[in-house]
Amino acid sequence: MAELTSTKLNAESHLLLDQPLLRMPYALSRQNFKSAQRTLEHTSIAVTKDLSSLAKSSTSNSSSPAKTLQDLDAILGKMQGLKRKLESLHDEETKLNHSATARIQHLDELYSMDSLADVKYEHWSRVRLSRLLVDYLLRSGYIESASHLASAKGIEELVDVDAFVAAHKIEKSLREGRSVTPALNWCKENSQGLKRLGGNLEFELRLQQYIELVRKGHEGLHGAGGENDEEGDERMEGVGDEEEDMAGGVELDDLERKRKVAGAEKLMDARIHAKKWLAPGSADTEILGKAAGLLAFKPWDPVEPYASLYSPSRWTHLATLFLTTHHTLFSLPSRPLLHIALSAGLSALKTPSCHSAYTSSSANASSSTTTVCPICSTELNELARNVPYAHHTKSIVESDPVVLPNGRIYGRDRLRKFNEKVGTERGWVRDPVAGVQGEKWREEEVRKVFIM
Amino acid sequence: MDEFREQIEYLERSANLSTSIQDVQTVIDQLTAMRAAIAAAPHSAPLTLAKNQVPIKDGLDRAQKNLLPIYKGLGKYSKSLDKKFKDKPLPSAENDALSSHPSLINRAIAMHLLREGQFDVASTFISEATKHPVQPEPTAGTPNPYLHESWEQDLANGTFDSQNLQQQFGEMYHILHELRTMRNLRPAIEWARNRSDVLEARGSNLEWELCQLQFICLFIGRDLHGVPIEGDESNGPLRAWAYARSEFGPFQNRYAKEVQQLMGAMAYAPNVLESPYRRYFYNDAAWEEVASSFTREFCSLLGLSADSPLYIAATAGAIALPTLLKLQNIMKEKRTEWTTQDELPVEIPLPPSYHFHSIFVCPVSKEQSTDANPPMMMPCGHVIAQESLDRISKGTRFKCPYCPGESQPKDARKVVL
């Protein structure tokens, strides 16, 4: 049987919420390193190649010394660029290492305390709350508030504002800008991690690119509103929707012809794109089949599953998918840490009295001898309504409980203190909940009560 | 933790990009030298170029090879992280009851920021949150989904008046600042005097404590604003006396004893330090006590708890998590589910300061009392839950399970803890 109440602090198990704190800078360091490695490798190969071809061409008579020098300058330029890039990555590396050190320091403080009642623990826990809040704000996209809070509390090194800002930008570009490029770049930067993770973010992004090409193609060929194409592209054969009467007899002017050509080109592009990125085996055949079917169905055809592939809600799906992938890659839990901590905390603190119709004798706002319970306080009361309350196997009551004639139970000591403070006449008692205006009883009417 | 620290130190000290940057610089120097040589002797260009191929390639290879320590260092660090957190999985949040009430969370955060005195952050947050309200994302296991409450709505309707709240807390911080750092009691006394009837009804003696402290301040030679008066310390007791005569009137009845004690100290005015009254006059903790009782009263009058509920709840959450995680694992192993959605299945040990309400657990049924199943006191003074009482008595005269006392069910009285 565990202890009912305990102030013992076990630092090791207390770190449950803090894994992302160390994982994040590590993941960023790794990313940073990979980026350095890639740049160095690419430039090295390019420079070596340039140099050897320069050496070869310089032996032939056709090259002039001026040309050689010019080529050398180009190579030098590449190397300078490499150096600049590495230097900026080195700065980033230093910053990340600093923040890792700060975080380790912060967590290490926990090991020097052994009591939850320690003032140092309270301070530490307040810092942790600020961290959790910043994390929550960042996840909700309240970037400005997050960085404001981080700087107000001086915990910039303990939170990852920059990383979230970057992720948020990409998410926004998907959700609002409807552009896959930033997300695809991100995929490229993290290709290795993503491969290990599995997941279909990149495929989905490529698929979206394809969908957009097909959409543009159809819009070009048919006009955005759904005009029919008389010439009858062979791709369209077998599709039974004919809306001939709409465009019947209208002569195609030059502009329209151009538009159609562009549309056909787009559809061509789409097929090339599909061949390159949506090759068989890159996903299950079902979705690939659907993708192929898109060529036959126009964006305005109310035919499933194609309509939902064309639907703008796919962008929201992509944005969410990106965030989930991003969080998993950086070992961030899918839900804000604040939610996790709070829902555990609300349950641990909640008692049946917190949402009771009766004013609790032991914690209420009406007397100065009691403190307001955090769950009863306005901030959390509604929020806690749906969480389970804490389990107790033993009663917890004030020592020496007595009962007033109205059925309220108080610790004898607290009742006496209250009555002294409000100046109740000697020999009489008042109920702290009712206050000085309330009823008063003779002291003899107060009875001892036994709570086992 | 020391292991981590060593590894990061290693990365910071020796395994970083600076070596490779130097290597790149060396290659740049070589290239520059080569370019100078070719510019000086264009005819030997092929030879110079050929001669330098290998050294430059080597230089570049070296730059790449010098990345290896970073790679190794990071790998080692990653292994340590894995080891450390092996048995500490990220808490999953399948039953995230909070996700369906994002606006309530936002409101709690706004109030937290305001009560912590972070007014700037709070106003940034309120404007950002009003512009982009969050969407509820209930998890599969969430018992009660979205209830159509909206914090933004509250803001618009004025039921959540952040301006008002900010003003209130602004006042609180102003008074606390005056109290703690300036040792100026005036604003606090004024605040308490304006609310003296409410405070009195609560049984709070804040106003008296403040006035008493003011008296002491005057006595030891400060003026009414807490500024020490230079030079004429001997006048302190006189000023205090004057203050007591003008201000202590209303306290005569309730605090007669305390007033007498303070007056008694007048006799020792020349040498309070060695008098029995020393503890009243030289007690620095008194300021902190007054400040914290002021904070408590202030928040209570607003219906709020004295410490930030968000802080207490998050801390309690962190304390509870290991237990909950263990529970989750056991349940997964045994493939069982929670049988009660209202109550946690395990007891969570919290420090005593985290118990706010009294808890009644029926000694017969071992269940906690609720509104539907309240504690009942039998005439003998023993308390059991209503349901237990019904079960034991079956409506007729019965014996108390804890003493020989017998009674009728109708004689049992509902009690409130």
Side-chain angles (χ1 to χ4, degrees):
Chain A
M1 181 67 210
E3 280 174 273
L4 276 180
T5 59
S6 158
T7 52
K8 206 176 156 319
L9 173 66
N10 181 352
E12 200 62 40
S13 67
H14 209 77
L15 290 179
L16 274 176
L17 279 170
D18 304 309
Q19 184 172 175
L21 190 68
L22 293 184
R23 291 275 185 190
M24 190 76 184
Y26 164 70
L28 291 173
S29 285
R30 212 183 127 81
Q31 198 185 28
N32 197 58
F33 167 73
K34 288 278 166 204
S35 159
Q37 197 182 30
R38 209 171 38 235
T39 324
L40 188 56
E41 205 180 301
H42 284 181
T43 320
S44 293
I45 292 170
V47 164
T48 324
K49 211 175 101 203
D50 287 358
L51 216 55
S52 70
S53 65
L54 182 62
K56 237 175 256 160
S57 66
S58 67
T59 50
S60 70
N61 295 329
S62 58
S63 77
S64 69
K67 174 83 172 58
T68 312
L69 284 181
Q70 207 185 337
D71 287 351
L72 260 181
D73 282 339
I75 293 172
L76 261 172
K78 267 184 202 163
M79 288 302 289
Q80 298 282 12
L82 172 67
K83 193 183 165 210
R84 268 196 303 277
K85 178 88 206 257
L86 285 181
E87 269 165 353
S88 80
L89 288 172
H90 181 48
D91 289 345
E92 184 64 26
E93 181 185 44
T94 316
K95 215 172 87 190
L96 285 169
N97 282 339
H98 271 306
S99 94
T101 314
R103 287 163 194 223
I104 292 168
Q105 179 76 33
H106 169 67
L107 292 184
D108 203 26
E109 280 169 26
L110 201 58
Y111 285 81
S112 65
M113 314 164 198
D114 42 31
S115 164
L116 292 168
D118 198 334
V119 186
K120 277 195 292 183
Y121 175 73
E122 190 188 324
H123 175 74
W124 191 86
S125 185
R126 284 194 190 276
V127 175
R128 172 177 56 198
L129 175 64
S130 305
R131 280 199 281 122
L132 298 182
L133 284 176
V134 173
D135 173 74
Y136 171 84
L137 294 173
L138 287 172
R139 280 162 180 272
S140 313
Y142 303 141
I143 306 286
E144 213 178 304
S145 315
S147 44
H148 203 148
L149 180 61
S151 67
K153 295 275 180 188
I155 51 165
E156 287 99 331
E157 294 206 307
L158 303 182
V159 293
D160 302 288
V161 178
D162 295 345
F164 271 98
V165 170
H168 200 66
K169 220 183 259 166
I170 298 175
E171 188 231 334
K172 210 170 161 184
S173 79
L174 286 170
R175 199 185 291 277
E176 288 163 26
R178 304 205 168 172
S179 151
V180 292
T181 329
L184 277 173
N185 284 341
W186 182 84
C187 283
K188 212 166 112 198
E189 270 169 41
N190 295 287
S191 56
Q192 250 178 333
L194 288 174
K195 218 178 275 165
R196 205 178 24 171
L197 216 64
N200 56 352
L201 176 64
E202 189 169 358
F203 175 80
E204 289 282 316
L205 292 170
R206 292 291 180 198
L207 179 63
Q208 190 64 37
Q209 270 185 327
Y210 167 78
I211 293 171
E212 292 311 309
L213 283 172
V214 177
R215 187 200 309 278
K216 281 206 191 96
H218 282 308
E219 278 169 5
L221 277 176
H222 304 275
E227 261 176 275
N228 197 25
D229 178 14
E230 302 259 48
E231 280 153 318
D233 193 308
E234 87 273 7
R235 276 191 292 269
M236 291 295 135
E237 271 173 16
V239 182
D241 72 338
E242 299 289 296
E243 300 162 46
E244 275 164 89
D245 40 358
M246 279 191 69
V250 178
E251 211 156 300
L252 301 173
D253 61 17
D254 210 30
L255 210 67
E256 220 167 319
R257 201 182 304 280
K258 249 185 220 158
R259 200 196 63 205
K260 290 202 176 219
V261 171
E265 269 173 11
K266 283 282 184 236
L267 282 181
M268 234 13 239
D269 287 351
R271 292 171 142 192
I272 296 168
H273 179 88
K275 216 170 257 169
K276 185 165 177 202
W277 298 108
L278 311 177
S282 59
D284 61 77
T285 34
E286 197 191 328
I287 182 78
L288 290 174
K290 281 183 200 167
L294 283 179
L295 289 170
F297 288 91
K298 292 179 271 309
W300 45 87
D301 291 339
V303 183
E304 285 297 350
Y306 310 105
S308 54
L309 282 176
Y310 279 124
S311 149
S313 70
R314 260 190 67 83
W315 288 106
T316 325
H317 163 70
L318 285 175
T320 324
L321 182 66
F322 166 73
L323 280 187
T324 340
T325 315
H326 174 266
H327 291 345
T328 329
L329 188 68
F330 288 113
S331 310
L332 299 168
S334 55
R335 296 273 160 185
L337 289 167
L338 185 71
H339 281 193
I340 296 169
L342 266 189
S343 46
L346 292 179
S347 274
L349 291 170
K350 188 177 160 182
T351 68
S353 316
C354 294
H355 293 94
S356 163
Y358 309 99
T359 314
S360 156
S361 302
S362 42
N364 57 62
S366 59
S367 122
S368 69
T369 49
T370 49
T371 46
V372 180
C373 147
I375 307 295
C376 299
S377 194
T378 326
E379 287 101 321
L380 299 180
N381 197 258
E382 272 310 307
L383 206 54
R385 199 173 280 281
N386 293 326
V387 302
Y389 53 77
H391 179 73
H392 289 280
T393 48
K394 270 196 184 137
S395 297
I396 303 173
V397 286
E398 294 165 80
S399 60
D400 198 3
V402 293
V403 62
L404 294 179
N406 64 359
R408 286 195 169 275
I409 295 180
Y410 295 97
R412 191 186 291 278
D413 205 37
R414 185 156 69 86
L415 191 65
R416 183 183 52 79
K417 260 192 204 141
F418 173 82
N419 279 288
E420 267 173 21
K421 278 185 173 176
V422 293
T424 314
E425 299 87 331
R426 203 170 269 281
W428 294 81
V429 283
R430 288 181 196 278
D431 179 355
V433 168
V436 273
Q437 274 82 32
E439 211 179 330
K440 60 178 178 182
W441 298 277
R442 294 209 151 271
E443 241 167 29
E444 301 84 72
E445 292 180 74
V446 178
R447 285 194 49 195
K448 184 146 180 57
V449 60
F450 302 98
I451 291 172
M452 324 278 285
Chain B
M1 283 296 143
D2 288 340
E3 195 183 346
F4 291 162
R5 186 170 307 151
E6 273 165 30
Q7 281 161 354
I8 291 291
E9 258 170 31
Y10 170 67
L11 285 171
E12 267 187 316
R13 205 179 46 243
S14 43
N16 57 42
L17 287 174
S18 60
T19 343
S20 294
I21 293 176
Q22 272 166 23
D23 294 335
V24 170
Q25 184 56 50
T26 318
V27 174
I28 292 176
D29 292 345
Q30 282 172 326
L31 282 168
T32 323
M34 191 167 83
R35 188 192 183 280
I38 292 174
H43 296 294
S44 62
L47 186 65
T48 323
L49 278 168
K51 244 193 345 208
N52 276 298
Q53 292 280 318
V54 177
I56 285 175
K57 189 166 183 310
D58 285 352
L60 288 168
D61 284 348
R62 201 173 322 118
Q64 287 189 52
K65 217 161 75 202
N66 279 331
L67 289 177
L68 214 62
I70 312 182
Y71 179 75
K72 279 190 183 150
L74 282 173
K76 224 167 141 191
Y77 182 53
S78 147
K79 281 218 184 77
S80 313
L81 281 176
D82 287 344
K83 211 170 97 198
K84 181 99 188 163
F85 292 111
K86 198 178 77 190
D87 50 347
K88 298 185 194 63
L90 284 173
S92 76
E94 287 144 17
N95 281 310
D96 189 353
L98 305 187
S99 51
S100 46
H101 309 287
S103 54
L104 284 177
I105 297 184
N106 279 356
R107 188 178 76 161
I109 293 177
M111 287 178 82
H112 169 80
L113 292 172
L114 287 172
R115 71 151 66 225
E116 297 273 285
Q118 303 280 355
F119 300 131
D120 290 349
V121 185
S123 70
T124 314
F125 173 62
I126 288 170
S127 76
E128 259 189 316
T130 329
K131 246 183 273 165
H132 307 285
V134 275
Q135 291 306 311
E137 294 169 13
T139 47
T142 309
N144 292 311
Y146 191 43
L147 289 177
H148 284 290
E149 84 289 283
S150 162
W151 172 56
E152 290 75 25
Q153 194 79 39
D154 286 353
L155 260 180
N157 295 343
T159 31
F160 178 71
D161 190 347
S162 74
Q163 285 291 311
N164 180 31
L165 208 60
Q166 171 159 352
Q167 209 182 341
Q168 301 265 22
F169 280 110
E171 189 186 356
M172 185 179 101
Y173 278 98
H174 167 70
I175 295 175
L176 277 178
H177 173 76
E178 289 292 324
L179 210 58
R180 280 208 177 105
T181 47
M182 312 301 289
R183 301 257 150 141
N184 179 8
L185 288 153
R186 287 222 91 145
I189 293 179
E190 222 164 272
W191 181 88
R193 190 151 294 163
N194 288 337
R195 290 157 187 81
S196 65
D197 47 340
V198 197
L199 289 173
E200 210 173 303
R202 293 169 43 76
S204 155
N205 40 14
L206 179 66
E207 192 185 349
W208 163 247
E209 277 171 19
L210 288 166
C211 286
Q212 187 182 356
L213 203 56
Q214 179 76 76
F215 173 87
I216 292 167
C217 263
L218 291 167
F219 193 95
I220 58 170
R222 288 165 179 264
D223 71 6
L224 279 171
H225 298 281
V227 182
I229 300 167
E230 305 277 330
D232 59 342
E233 273 167 35
S234 52
N235 276 337
L238 272 182
R239 267 194 301 273
W241 172 245
Y243 179 78
R245 286 183 60 138
S246 71
E247 305 290 330
F248 279 7
F251 301 118
Q252 282 289 3
N253 286 334
R254 266 175 74 185
Y255 303 102
K257 210 171 104 203
E258 285 88 346
V259 173
Q260 265 174 18
Q261 271 174 346
L262 287 180
M263 292 303 121
M266 299 296 289
Y268 290 89
N271 196 4
V272 178
L273 257 180
E274 284 170 24
S275 76
Y277 297 100
R278 182 176 194 276
R279 64 193 171 92
Y280 290 110
F281 288 83
Y282 295 93
N283 181 3
D284 270 341
W287 289 93
E288 233 1 85
E289 275 166 31
V290 162
S292 71
S293 83
F294 166 76
T295 314
R296 206 178 56 228
E297 294 300 322
F298 194 101
C299 291
S300 288
L301 289 195
L302 294 174
L304 305 175
S305 65
D307 211 339
S308 165
L310 214 53
Y311 163 72
I312 298 176
T315 309
I319 299 172
L321 267 178
T323 316
L324 291 176
L325 196 77
K326 209 188 276 173
L327 166 78
Q328 218 170 38
N329 291 339
I330 292 174
M331 285 201 309
K332 212 177 275 167
E333 262 170 44
K334 299 201 168 159
R335 294 168 188 244
T336 49
E337 299 259 329
W338 286 11
T339 44
T340 50
Q341 213 168 44
D342 295 342
E343 190 173 352
L344 286 181
V346 280
E347 187 151 16
I348 289 161
L350 289 178
S353 58
Y354 284 78
H355 291 291
F356 294 89
H357 293 281
S358 295
I359 302 282
F360 178 72
V361 176
C362 171
V364 177
S365 66
K366 301 289 175 200
E367 280 172 4
Q368 276 185 75
S369 59
T370 57
D371 277 8
N373 183 22
M376 303 294 282
M377 182 179 70
M378 293 168 282
C380 56
H382 286 105
V383 185
I384 59 175
Q386 167 103 60
E387 284 173 9
S388 307
L389 184 118
D390 293 345
R391 215 171 299 138
I392 294 175
S393 70
K394 298 192 186 77
T396 59
R397 198 172 168 77
F398 70 107
K399 187 189 94 62
C400 166
Y402 296 96
C403 72
E406 285 191 14
S407 59
Q408 290 283 347
K410 64 172 169 29
D411 295 332
R413 304 206 32 208
K414 190 168 115 182
V415 288
V416 183
L417 275 110

